[in-house]
Amino acid sequence: MAFAMEQNNINILCTRPLNTFLVEDAKAAGIVIDEISFIETEPVQTIEVQQEIEQALLLSATVVFTSMNAVDAVAAWQYEQQPDWNIYCMGTTTKKLVAENFGEANIAGTANSAAELAELIAEDRFIDKVIFFCGDQRRDELPEILQQNNIEVNEIIVYQTIEVPHKITKPYHGILFFSPSAVESFFKTNTVTAQTILFAIGNTTATAIKKFTNNKIIISDEPGKENLVKKMIEYFT
């Protein structure tokens, strides 16, 4: 591959922070990762949202999480209360946080994408209503599929996503993206060289990338930062 950069190491940009052990794993393989956040998330801290969460915690309900940020935002109002919830969530990091805060026994199902999760929920004929804790830039797939299957969706927006654009001044062999929001933020102020390989956490993020470039995109087989980093290391080694 022809890059106008030092060839001693593979240089990677990660558009969100990583656990130190992932950066070290990459370094051991001759891959240097720069971590620059292109989005930030903040919980919605209005009285109205607090009351909606507290009321939901008292209900026997089917609950949906597609983001670890949503889990954190709801758990902040939990106060050790264990709600009577059947929970559907994304796998890996989100599932782990749900298990830690609400109990693994309450997890009714997991999937690798919001669309797959919606299809899984729709298969249960006893579900006619769900509470969907989400962010202000959530994708449409899950609520649309559920509504098409006559399942009422009560959306509670518990966090907001803020773009934090940065101007990148050096080329990279690869760039890791974990959300469509980060893709939008990155390409507001940057372009990529034709040789740069782009890594996406899932199909929705890959679709967002395709709006800006025809570069090669590699999609993680499973959700979770670890899986995307592993995919990147495998590609370059």
Side-chain angles (χ1 to χ4, degrees):
M1 288 181 275
F3 287 88
M5 62 181 83
E6 293 183 10
Q7 292 297 315
N8 296 334
N9 290 305
I10 300 294
N11 295 299
I12 300 295
L13 173 65
C14 185
T15 57
R16 63 169 297 170
L18 292 173
N19 293 326
T20 303
F21 77 88
L22 292 173
V23 178
E24 292 300 320
D25 285 351
K27 187 176 180 180
I31 298 170
V32 176
I33 299 178
D34 290 343
E35 302 164 77
I36 303 175
S37 293
F38 280 80
I39 58 169
E40 292 178 358
T41 58
E42 292 182 353
V44 177
Q45 295 183 315
T46 64
I47 293 296
E48 291 78 11
V49 169
Q50 178 186 345
Q51 289 174 341
E52 284 187 277
I53 294 172
E54 289 176 342
Q55 188 172 18
L57 287 164
L58 300 174
L59 299 174
S60 293
T62 298
V63 168
V64 182
F65 292 103
T66 56
S67 161
M68 54 184 272
N69 298 304
V71 180
D72 284 336
V74 173
W77 300 105
Q78 187 182 1
Y79 302 122
E80 298 184 5
Q81 179 180 354
Q82 284 301 326
D84 182 21
W85 287 350
N86 284 325
I87 301 171
Y88 288 84
C89 62
M90 300 288 274
T92 318
T93 308
T94 303
K95 179 185 177 183
K96 183 180 177 183
L97 274 178
V98 168
E100 287 174 359
N101 288 284
F102 305 110
E104 185 132 20
N106 287 339
I107 299 175
T110 63
N112 289 337
S113 73
E116 289 175 13
L117 195 62
E119 297 287 358
L120 184 63
I121 296 167
E123 288 174 7
D124 188 333
R125 297 184 180 182
F126 294 101
I127 297 176
D128 58 8
K129 181 187 298 184
V130 302
I131 298 172
F132 180 26
F133 293 110
C134 58
D136 61 339
Q137 295 187 28
R138 67 109 179 102
R139 312 301 292 180
D140 294 331
E141 295 94 337
L142 186 137
E144 285 182 353
I145 291 170
L146 293 181
Q147 287 161 1
Q148 288 165 8
N149 284 276
N150 299 314
I151 296 172
E152 181 184 335
V153 180
N154 175 21
E155 283 186 35
I156 303 178
I157 296 173
V158 294
Y159 73 93
Q160 56 188 356
T161 301
I162 302 159
E163 292 185 358
V164 187
H166 300 273
K167 182 66 178 173
I168 299 304
T169 57
K170 74 178 191 182
Y172 288 95
H173 295 86
I175 303 175
L176 277 57
F177 290 102
F178 297 88
S179 71
S181 302
V183 173
E184 297 275 350
S185 180
F186 175 85
F187 282 103
K188 272 192 173 177
T189 53
N190 299 285
T191 57
V192 291
T193 63
Q195 300 96 335
T196 303
I197 309 300
L198 306 176
F199 295 83
I201 194 68
N203 290 316
T204 307
T205 300
T207 299
I209 294 171
K210 290 174 185 174
K211 292 195 301 183
F212 298 98
T213 178
N214 294 318
N215 282 38
K216 181 173 183 176
I217 301 171
I218 294 175
I219 303 171
S220 180
D221 301 319
E222 303 176 57
K225 291 181 287 187
E226 294 87 350
N227 294 309
L228 190 59
V229 173
K230 182 181 177 183
K231 192 91 172 175
M232 178 273 294
I233 293 173
E234 288 174 352
Y235 179 84
F236 285 112
T237 56

